[in-house]
Amino acid sequence: MDDIEVPQYFICPISLQIMKDPVTTITGITYDRESIEQWLLTSKKTTCPVTKQPLQKDPDLTPNHTLRRLIQGWCTQNALHGIDRIPTPKPPLDKFQVFEFIKHLWQPELQLKTIKQLVSLAAENEKNRKYMIEAGVPKEMLVFIVTCFKQGQIDGLEEALGILNFIQIPSAETKPILLENHDLIIKSLTWVLGCEMKNQVTVKSHTMLVLKTIIEACTSSNVLELVSPEFFKRVVKVLRSGITQQGINAALDVLLEACAWSRNLIRMIEANTVFELIELELSFPEKKTTELILGILCNLCSCPDGRAQFLSHRGSIAVVSMKILGVSPKVGDRAVLILSMICKFFGIYMVLQEMLTVGAVEKLSSLTKIDCASFLKEEASEILRLHFPEWKDSPCIDGFQGIRVKPR
């Protein structure tokens, strides 16, 4: 193919590749449809890339059928040289076609076929997704999921969740339906988390991502204030069974958001969340995941039962101690706060000796000697002061030998 000279007018001025679906703008310049549509969607100034003349965000693009046939003919003639034939492009989607799809969605005999067509269209390009948003597809998908919940039907759920992840739920459109039905939508998604399906990992991951998006879209509404204990059991079970990295972080974001209400902390502890989070952290996840895990643990350890569950895991002190230095200031701060709460309320001999054994005391001592946030240094110093008599013979806190011990 390197030895073949491609006619210059077959090349898109943007992608510099052979055009598959040539279209002409009002400026008279021909581009590949996908390239010019992407240019107009992402460009701050909607201008023709070649002439610099203004274009509309949603311009009239005239298919150049003659040029497309010429390109297809040339590709066929050069097939032996490794040139792939350009297929005839599908007609572009418009908003009115999407409205027809929505009508078909609620006809039982066409429902499954229609929802699969919508998935395919959403996957094709950004313009299709834009039309689907304008036609109200996200709202229809939420209603579809609620309907499935009421009827105990799982057919089409995977596709509906896939569409919501493809096109994202715009907050302006989601808020009205959430304000009226947020309890039912959360219940429906909780139900989905407990359903057994063929593509478990994908379905559960998409469900968590949708939950996160809904909660973010309704920050002013207390959508997580009255969630059931079953909600937390299902979310924790999903974390245990394994989902995608995106899904894990979405689940953790939801749990962290739920920590704002004390009753949720109790329900999360009852769902064995502390234990499962430590197990997850032991798998050495990415930095973002660790930050979320430590944030949730910090909230849960503010409760007596949370601290007790924390200490019931044999690796809890070790895994938190490991995070004091080297991950991020946010992680270090939360790790020290967790150990501070454990020391304050569970400062018994076995716990203090374990902190010494796993290197927690050494890490805390290091914090007092290095350049770090002042509040972090103060917190570490306070822990060392509080238990100096128990640790005074350890060489790792030599720098604290002359410290004045505060009375208990």
Side-chain angles (χ1 to χ4, degrees):
M1 182 175 174
D2 293 338
D3 299 330
I4 300 172
E5 185 177 348
V6 180
Q8 188 60 37
Y9 58 94
F10 287 1
I11 303 296
C12 172
I14 298 174
S15 69
L16 303 181
Q17 302 294 318
I18 297 174
M19 288 184 278
K20 298 177 182 178
D21 185 9
V23 292
T24 304
T25 66
I26 58 170
T27 61
I29 307 298
T30 298
Y31 302 94
D32 195 30
R33 182 185 293 277
E34 185 178 351
S35 296
I36 188 61
E37 286 182 347
Q38 188 63 27
W39 168 274
L40 292 170
L41 279 168
T42 57
S43 178
K44 291 181 180 178
K45 294 182 178 180
T46 51
T47 57
C48 173
V50 173
T51 67
K52 307 304 179 186
Q53 291 177 312
L55 289 173
Q56 294 178 345
K57 269 285 184 185
D58 197 6
D60 291 326
L61 300 174
T62 306
N64 194 327
H65 297 299
T66 302
L67 179 57
R68 192 245 308 154
R69 292 190 191 101
L70 286 172
I71 293 172
Q72 287 177 324
W74 181 85
C75 289
T76 301
Q77 291 171 10
N78 290 279
L80 294 175
H81 299 287
I83 303 293
D84 294 327
R85 188 181 185 279
I86 303 297
T88 301
K90 298 178 186 176
L93 185 72
D94 60 43
K95 197 189 302 185
F96 302 103
Q97 288 173 288
V98 180
F99 285 129
E100 285 301 309
F101 279 117
I102 290 173
K103 288 180 186 176
H104 293 163
L105 180 65
W106 299 110
Q107 297 177 25
E109 69 278 8
L110 297 175
Q111 197 168 67
L112 200 55
K113 179 183 176 183
T114 300
I115 205 164
K116 286 181 177 179
Q117 287 174 319
L118 287 170
V119 172
S120 179
L121 289 168
E124 274 183 16
N125 56 60
E126 186 65 35
K127 191 165 187 179
N128 284 0
R129 295 190 282 273
K130 176 175 174 283
Y131 284 140
M132 290 168 78
I133 289 170
E134 290 175 356
V137 170
K139 178 183 175 181
E140 297 297 328
M141 290 301 103
L142 288 173
V143 173
F144 177 80
I145 291 168
V146 169
T147 304
C148 287
F149 164 60
K150 289 179 177 178
Q151 298 176 353
Q153 166 196 328
I154 63 171
D155 290 341
L157 272 178
E158 181 180 345
E159 289 80 5
L161 290 162
I163 290 168
L164 288 174
N165 277 276
F166 263 127
I167 62 180
Q168 297 297 313
I169 306 170
S171 58
E173 184 196 18
T174 311
K175 279 186 179 180
I177 187 174
L178 276 175
L179 290 173
E180 295 175 14
N181 304 289
H182 68 267
D183 185 49
L184 189 53
I185 292 171
I186 298 292
K187 280 182 180 177
S188 301
L189 292 170
T190 304
W191 168 75
V192 175
L193 289 175
C195 291
E196 296 295 324
M197 294 188 218
K198 186 178 178 181
N199 298 316
Q200 289 277 62
V201 171
T202 301
V203 173
K204 304 298 169 67
S205 299
H206 283 173
T207 304
M208 288 313 314
L209 287 162
V210 171
L211 268 169
K212 178 194 170 188
T213 307
I214 286 171
I215 290 160
E216 286 177 345
C218 297
T219 51
S220 60
S221 302
N222 299 331
V223 294
L224 286 176
E225 185 178 8
L226 300 175
V227 287
S228 66
E230 190 63 26
F231 173 84
F232 296 109
K233 290 177 184 177
R234 297 256 170 109
V235 173
V236 171
K237 187 177 179 182
V238 164
L239 285 174
R240 187 190 311 128
S241 60
I243 50 176
T244 64
Q245 185 61 57
Q246 267 192 314
I248 288 171
N249 285 349
L252 294 173
D253 271 315
V254 170
L255 290 177
L256 187 58
E257 187 72 26
C259 288
W261 292 274
S262 56
R263 63 185 293 173
N264 286 345
L265 295 178
I266 296 166
R267 289 174 174 180
M268 287 163 71
I269 293 163
E270 289 171 348
N272 214 30
T273 306
V274 177
F275 195 92
E276 294 301 333
L277 290 177
I278 295 167
E279 284 290 302
L280 182 58
E281 187 55 42
L282 284 168
S283 67
F284 299 101
E286 64 180 29
K287 175 184 167 183
K288 169 67 174 174
T289 307
T290 293
E291 288 181 347
L292 290 168
I293 289 173
L294 270 287
I296 300 165
L297 284 175
C298 202
N299 279 281
L300 296 178
C301 283
S302 66
C303 304
D305 288 346
R307 293 189 290 272
Q309 194 173 113
F310 177 86
L311 289 173
S312 72
H313 194 297
R314 294 183 64 180
S316 58
I317 293 177
V319 77
V320 170
S321 300
M322 288 168 57
K323 308 303 174 184
I324 291 177
L325 294 168
V327 181
S328 72
K330 186 184 289 185
V331 168
D333 176 27
R334 289 168 175 175
V336 171
L337 285 173
I338 291 168
L339 292 179
S340 175
M341 286 185 279
I342 296 299
C343 286
K344 184 176 180 181
F345 296 103
F346 274 95
I348 58 177
Y349 178 80
M350 287 180 63
V351 171
L352 298 177
Q353 286 305 302
E354 186 175 352
M355 288 181 66
L356 202 57
T357 303
V358 300
V361 178
E362 184 178 0
K363 289 280 187 74
L364 292 169
S365 180
S366 297
L367 278 177
T368 66
K369 301 169 187 174
I370 64 172
D371 184 20
C372 64
S374 58
F375 65 89
L376 199 57
K377 190 172 291 196
E378 288 169 10
E379 196 66 46
S381 298
E382 185 60 31
I383 297 171
L384 292 172
R385 287 191 194 102
L386 187 63
H387 298 290
F388 183 75
E390 291 86 352
W391 295 329
K392 64 182 179 180
D393 295 329
S394 172
C396 66
I397 57 170
D398 283 343
F400 269 71
Q401 291 298 329
I403 199 166
R404 184 178 177 183
V405 184
K406 287 186 176 181
R408 296 190 185 185

